[in-house]
Amino acid sequence: MPAPALITLIVGDEELLVDRAVAAVVAAVRESDPDVDVHDLVPAQVGPSTLVEVTSPSLFGDRRVVVLRSSQDLTKDLAATVLDYLQNPADDVNMVLTHAGGAKGKALLEAATKAKAERVDCKGPKKGPERVAFVKGEFAAAKRQITPDAAEALVDAVGSDLREIAAACTQLIADTEGRVDASAVARYHSGKAEASGFTVADRAVEGRLPEALEQLRWSLAVGTAPVLINSALAGAIRGIAVAAQPPRGMSEADLAKRAKVPPWKMRTLRQQARGWSPGGVTRAMAVIAETDALIKGAGRDPEYALERAVIEIARARGNR
């Protein structure tokens, strides 16, 4: 594995691909230094002295990876600190900047490019055929095969959220053998009983707290990544928000597109949306955002953060 550049610029708004790109840099650094110290930061965590502290020369020559996510959201003063650093980066620090790629924070993009940062573009698939190609790539990376019709069926069953598609691929790869065909996908999605992020989310938004917690603990026990579970919770709340107050005159297909689910799932979402108020949805969305930050570095215990999120979401149902 080649040594990563001192500065890596990850551009794009597809969180799954961004997370994978960050993980690849960290893994590359750990290949040569297993004890490397990793600082994974979001703008809300960065104070006036934080960047200076984590990028200052180490007295003991310890290598560090400093990940600064959503750099386009840095305040003017903090962005200026990063710009100064890019002009003279430390030799014992690998800095990773993630940027959504829009006009906001463009000066950072230009400065990182000028500093000869290694750029990684994370543009997610937007159309059906691109998502099908993504599924095939997930199976190929695991040295498995999936038939073209099975890949299409998987995308139709799961929807457009890339994390959910990736999670479904991971579970199919783990729970099947040999080449996966459309019948295997149909069996999996019609009667799967094991816990996943999706079952956790369904039970939570339905207000069935004991079952949601049981599913959460089992899902974590079988190795489901916390970030995927929180993504499933976010998708469920997003769907509830659409189903609870659908815009007048919007077609079923457009509603499904807005909720980022296949059309057949709208009926389930309408049932789950009963008992949800605008205030409850707002509270649940805030919990999801808080949990996302805790999982990605602001907290020390992702499993506890998820348990708290499930409790808060279940309680938000019915709140006025």
Side-chain angles (χ1 to χ4, degrees):
M1 184 180 292
L6 287 180
I7 302 170
T8 301
L9 176 63
I10 299 173
V11 183
D13 58 0
E14 180 49 67
E15 289 189 4
L16 173 66
L17 301 183
V18 169
D19 286 345
R20 287 181 174 181
V22 170
V25 175
V26 174
V29 178
R30 281 188 171 145
E31 184 79 12
S32 58
D33 185 355
D35 297 323
V36 65
D37 194 9
V38 180
H39 302 270
D40 198 334
L41 308 170
V42 294
Q45 298 172 255
V46 182
S49 62
T50 307
L51 285 175
V52 175
E53 180 181 336
V54 298
T55 59
S56 295
S58 170
L59 294 175
F60 305 101
D62 296 332
R63 186 146 212 90
R64 284 154 290 161
V65 177
V66 177
V67 181
L68 187 52
R69 296 180 184 265
S70 303
S71 60
Q72 74 279 355
D73 294 330
L74 289 171
T75 63
K76 185 176 180 180
D77 290 344
L78 290 173
T81 300
V82 177
L83 290 172
D84 289 342
Y85 175 81
L86 292 174
Q87 294 178 14
N88 186 29
D91 292 335
D92 58 355
V93 174
N94 292 91
M95 175 169 277
V96 182
L97 296 173
T98 79
H99 192 288
K104 187 178 181 182
K106 189 177 180 181
L108 276 175
L109 277 176
E110 295 173 345
T113 301
K114 187 175 181 180
K116 299 182 179 179
E118 181 176 332
R119 177 167 173 147
V120 180
D121 288 302
C122 293
K123 182 181 179 181
K126 302 299 182 184
K127 299 179 180 179
E130 294 174 347
R131 297 185 185 106
V132 170
F134 174 80
V135 169
K136 293 178 180 177
E138 293 291 281
F139 275 78
K143 294 182 171 54
R144 292 284 300 278
Q145 290 184 327
I146 183 169
T147 62
D149 58 339
E152 292 177 6
L154 184 62
V155 171
D156 289 342
V158 176
S160 59
D161 187 279
L162 203 62
R163 284 197 188 279
E164 294 182 5
I165 294 174
C169 289
T170 299
Q171 291 171 346
L172 264 174
I173 289 167
D175 297 335
T176 61
E177 295 181 355
R179 193 183 193 198
V180 174
D181 58 19
S183 62
V185 174
R187 286 195 305 271
Y188 186 90
H189 284 279
S190 64
K192 191 67 175 173
E194 282 105 300
S196 71
F198 310 127
T199 54
V200 175
D202 284 341
R203 299 297 84 77
V205 299
E206 291 163 2
R208 295 156 64 177
L209 182 55
E211 294 174 49
L213 290 175
E214 180 183 0
Q215 294 289 329
L216 172 63
R217 289 159 189 156
W218 176 245
S219 187
L220 290 169
V222 299
T224 306
V227 70
L228 295 180
I229 298 175
N230 196 53
S231 177
L233 289 169
I237 296 301
R238 182 175 60 239
I240 292 294
V242 173
Q245 291 186 306
R248 185 173 298 175
M250 183 170 284
S251 69
E252 188 85 353
D254 287 339
L255 280 175
K257 186 175 181 180
R258 173 173 287 199
K260 296 185 178 181
V261 298
W264 59 263
K265 197 171 182 179
M266 285 306 302
R267 181 177 179 181
T268 300
L269 282 175
R270 286 197 185 90
Q271 292 174 339
Q272 292 176 331
R274 294 170 185 167
W276 278 92
S277 67
V281 170
T282 299
R283 172 57 188 153
M285 287 182 170
V287 169
I288 293 295
E290 293 166 6
T291 306
D292 186 63
L294 290 170
I295 289 173
K296 291 180 178 176
R300 295 178 178 271
D301 190 341
E303 294 186 6
Y304 172 77
L306 280 171
E307 185 169 309
R308 171 185 170 273
V310 167
I311 293 171
E312 291 292 330
I313 289 169
R315 288 176 177 173
R317 183 178 182 272
N319 287 355
R320 300 296 168 187

